[in-house]
């Protein structure tokens, strides 16, 4: 973001941003789910605001949707390869 603000081309870094942040967010949410343990199997309250472990469960399930939004990880890797490293387009996409 600093490079973009300075009107410099961030190059590959910007292309990798979504992929890296998605992976980190999912790993944190997955760890929280593991720490919650069996409490993750309980039904969260239908009304009201999520509290305690329900917030982390919402984060876990939300991280799955974020991984899909804006392109799946495999699509993002193809974009990085093609635009960031100037590799040829994958034949399977044609």
């Amino acid at each position: 973001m600093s490079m973009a603000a300075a009107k410099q081309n961030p190059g590959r870094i910007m292309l990798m941003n979504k992929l890296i942040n998605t992976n980190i967010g999912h790993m944190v949410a997955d760890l929280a789910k593991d720490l919650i343990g069996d409490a993750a199997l309980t039904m969260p309250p239908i009304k009201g605001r999520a509290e305690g472990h329900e917030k982390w469960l919402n984060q876990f399930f939300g991280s799955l949707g974020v991984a899909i939004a804006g392109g799946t990880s495999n699509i993002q890797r193809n974009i990085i390869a093609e635009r960031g490293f100037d590799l040829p387009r994958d034949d399977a996409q044609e």
Side-chain angles (χ1 to χ4, degrees), residues 23-54:
N23 287 343
I24 290 171
H26 186 68
M27 287 188 298
V28 168
D30 195 35
L31 175 63
K33 179 188 59 94
D34 288 344
L35 292 173
I36 293 168
D38 290 342
L41 301 173
T42 60
M43 176 76 170
I46 295 173
K47 291 185 178 181
R49 198 165 187 185
E51 296 180 5
H53 70 270
E54 289 112 10

Side-chain angles (χ1 to χ4, degrees), residues 18 22 25-26 29 57-73:
K18 187 230 187 259
T22 299
H26 186 68
L57 289 177
N58 288 343
Q59 179 69 26
F60 173 73
F61 290 118
S63 73
L64 300 174
V66 169
I68 296 169
T72 64
S73 296

